[in-house]
Amino acid sequence: MKIIILGAGQVGGTLAEHLASEANDITVVDTDGERLRDLGDRLDIRTVQGRASFPTVLRQAGADDADMLVAVTNSDETNMVACQVAYTLFHTPTKIARVRESAYLTRAGLFDNEAIPVDVLISPEQVVTHYIKRLIEHPGALQVIDFAEGKAQLVAVKAYYGGPLVGQQLRQIREHMPNVDTRVAAIFRRDRPILPQGDTVIEADDEVFFIAAKAHIRAVMGELRRIDETNKRVVIAGGGQIGERLAEAIESRYQVKIIEMNPARCRYLSDTLDSTVVLQGSASDRDLMLEENIAEADIFLALTNDDEANIMSSLLAKRLGARKVMTIINNPAYVDLVQGGDIDIAISPQLATIGTLLAHVRRGDIVSVHSLRRGAAEAIEAIAHGDSKSSKVIGKAIEDIALPPGTTIGAIIRDEEVLIAHDDTVIEAGDHVILFVVDKKYIRDVEKLFHVGLSFF
């Protein structure tokens, strides 16, 4: 596939890295020549220096025969104009744009071919807000991913000493929970992936990814770790777009406080939000944190645009007694450094956004793609089409499907029913198949499984 990526920042660069390793023809456009040289030295891609919305620059990047344009510059307006130019002059089939400003996103009919021709809108703030909201709803989870509109969920937890299944073989899950069907999709032990078998023994500190129907998630988590108390009190540092949206989404169920430096922004938040308490000040102010009883907070969330400020305020909150700390980290190099110590969960907006982008780039009928463990693995939701003659998966039991190395099928959603995958489960047309891919170099092989042969047409 020939793809033009506009913007060589964190999202554009990470997307290019994902796609270049999968034998796509990638061209990255940016005004920053140094950033382009760095990408070009590391990846097998073309680079073009120039303004992303200029027709001459897009033509130089190969827009005449490009299959897809992905506009992820830092400017909403540049992204929208680039999609307009690609549609009008080059008839680019698929145009994806990152748009941050909610003033654009709330206007019905703005993004269609008669107005601004954008096929897929990506809003990082919406993606990250939803991501954090799920983590708040599942105390103890490191990552929570919805499939088939939330019917099934993939959850990552760290196995703790004292959990009923720690030191036990995986096959004993069924004995512990005879009425709950679940499947462990993968285990990461000391940062190395282990493909789970029935006789695999769970060890303390293993990062365990399991999939189950939404109603059974809490029961399975209880087998792997002590269930954390339900969250009630949430403190948010940073009243920007993510902080505001998150408070708006959760304030009806939790006691929420926002700490924001900017007085004008504080007044706006006070007028906009219903029950959230808005405090003007710095989350790195020890006296303010003590005054606001941070020790009683179930969750402290650092959501400013400043990585260093987020890290320092999170460390202070944890030191002063906050039960759980989550931090937005924009620099990917910091994520692995800080997660798992005093900071419980480091959230990368770029990686959360990448999954949404990848779902539209993958071949085959891919509904969603989720980046796991900071990009080390992927969870994919694909739809099986065709029949037993035209499809490589339909009509076959899972044990008879030639899955690529490091790939497991975790579950199948059939209509409203969640079927946890077992060796004798047979895939039918229209099934949503949830796959876990530990080694991303086999992504293309996974996509090919869900291509429909010509005999179907």
Side-chain angles (χ1 to χ4, degrees):
M1 190 182 289
K2 186 172 183 180
I3 302 168
I4 300 174
I5 299 172
L6 307 180
Q10 295 286 3
V11 171
T14 307
L15 182 63
E17 205 166 326
H18 275 74
L19 298 177
S21 64
E22 297 165 22
N24 291 292
D25 181 357
I26 307 295
T27 302
V28 178
V29 178
D30 201 285
T31 54
D32 189 329
E34 190 175 332
R35 196 177 281 170
L36 289 175
R37 278 191 294 277
D38 177 56
L39 273 178
D41 289 343
R42 290 191 294 112
L43 307 173
D44 182 19
I45 60 171
R46 284 183 65 230
T47 60
V48 173
Q49 186 173 358
R51 290 285 293 276
S53 57
F54 284 9
T56 50
V57 173
L58 288 175
R59 175 166 277 119
Q60 189 183 347
D64 284 316
D65 60 349
D67 300 300
M68 181 179 292
L69 180 88
V70 183
V72 287
T73 74
N74 288 327
S75 164
D76 289 353
E77 291 75 17
T78 298
N79 294 339
M80 293 188 289
V81 171
C83 289
Q84 180 74 68
V85 172
Y87 172 77
T88 305
L89 297 184
F90 303 111
H91 313 294
T92 307
T94 305
K95 298 158 295 298
I96 299 174
R98 177 173 67 177
V99 178
R100 284 196 166 103
E101 184 52 61
S102 57
Y104 292 127
L105 297 170
T106 52
R107 293 293 173 187
L110 181 61
F111 296 101
D112 58 36
N113 288 348
E114 285 68 45
I116 301 172
V118 176
D119 301 301
V120 181
L121 272 172
I122 304 292
S123 167
E125 286 75 17
Q126 283 181 349
V127 172
V128 173
T129 300
H130 188 50
Y131 183 94
I132 296 171
K133 182 170 174 278
R134 288 197 304 265
L135 288 171
I136 293 172
E137 291 168 348
H138 292 84
L142 296 173
Q143 198 165 358
V144 181
I145 293 166
D146 285 342
F147 292 107
E149 299 173 343
K151 295 185 185 74
Q153 290 184 318
L154 179 72
V155 178
V157 295
K158 183 169 276 192
Y160 274 50
Y161 287 105
L165 273 176
V166 175
Q168 308 284 323
Q169 293 184 349
L170 284 179
R171 61 167 57 96
Q172 292 177 276
I173 290 181
R174 190 173 290 275
E175 296 169 23
H176 282 251
M177 298 181 296
N179 299 320
V180 173
D181 206 2
T182 185
R183 183 181 176 101
V184 173
I187 296 171
F188 283 84
R189 181 173 297 158
R190 293 179 284 280
D191 286 334
R192 295 179 64 84
I194 296 172
L195 278 181
Q197 309 291 334
D199 58 357
T200 301
V201 175
I202 297 174
E203 296 181 5
D205 291 333
D206 280 355
E207 202 169 312
V208 181
F209 286 82
F210 69 87
I211 192 162
K214 188 173 183 178
H216 296 152
I217 293 295
R218 194 164 174 81
V220 181
M221 286 180 68
E223 291 295 307
L224 294 166
R225 55 173 292 123
R226 299 182 299 273
I227 286 289
D228 291 354
E229 294 174 25
T230 304
N231 296 314
K232 294 177 185 173
R233 291 169 292 275
V234 179
V235 177
I236 298 171
Q241 289 203 37
I242 294 176
E244 178 193 350
R245 290 183 189 197
L246 181 63
E248 193 174 32
I250 66 173
E251 64 179 353
S252 61
R253 295 179 55 194
Y254 304 92
Q255 299 170 28
V256 182
K257 291 180 181 179
I258 289 182
I259 301 173
E260 166 60 41
M261 279 289 290
N262 187 312
R265 184 68 180 171
C266 286
R267 286 191 291 274
Y268 166 80
L269 292 169
S270 296
D271 294 340
T272 305
L273 298 168
D274 292 330
S275 59
T276 298
V277 175
V278 181
L279 304 164
Q280 198 260 312
S282 167
S284 298
D285 183 338
R286 188 174 187 276
D287 292 336
L288 174 63
M289 299 282 266
L290 287 170
E291 192 178 311
E292 294 304 324
N293 301 314
I294 191 67
E296 295 179 8
D298 296 308
I299 297 182
F300 175 85
L301 294 150
L303 307 181
T304 77
N305 290 324
D306 186 325
D307 284 356
E308 286 75 14
N310 286 343
I311 292 168
M312 295 311 294
S313 63
S314 296
L315 294 174
L316 177 62
K318 193 75 168 187
R319 188 69 51 88
L320 294 178
R323 185 156 64 89
K324 189 167 192 176
V325 170
M326 299 187 207
T327 308
I328 278 188
I329 303 289
N330 289 291
N331 185 341
Y334 287 177
V335 175
D336 287 327
L337 289 176
V338 301
Q339 176 158 306
D342 285 341
I343 293 173
D344 298 291
I345 298 178
I347 298 158
S348 167
Q350 288 79 17
L351 287 176
T353 307
I354 287 297
T356 311
L357 288 166
L358 289 175
H360 301 285
V361 177
R362 299 284 184 231
R363 295 166 175 80
D365 195 348
I366 306 295
V367 179
S368 63
V369 176
H370 299 275
S371 187
L372 307 174
R373 297 201 86 256
R374 284 80 74 196
E378 282 187 11
I380 296 174
E381 178 181 348
I383 301 178
H385 290 298
D387 55 29
S388 58
K389 293 179 181 175
S390 61
S391 167
K392 297 183 180 72
V393 297
I394 290 175
K396 289 188 175 181
I398 287 174
E399 63 184 353
D400 298 326
I401 297 172
L403 290 171
T407 303
T408 56
I409 293 177
I412 292 162
I413 292 97
R414 186 172 295 159
D415 299 323
E416 296 299 308
E417 189 180 5
V418 177
L419 305 171
I420 298 304
H422 299 289
D423 286 347
D424 58 353
T425 305
V426 176
I427 295 177
E428 298 179 3
D431 283 353
H432 286 236
V433 182
I434 314 303
L435 302 106
F436 192 101
V437 186
V438 169
D439 191 338
K440 292 196 303 182
K441 72 182 179 188
Y442 294 109
I443 291 285
R444 178 65 62 83
D445 298 321
V446 173
E447 291 171 3
K448 286 177 182 174
L449 280 177
F450 290 87
H451 279 172
V452 179
L454 290 175
S455 61
F456 181 57
F457 299 98

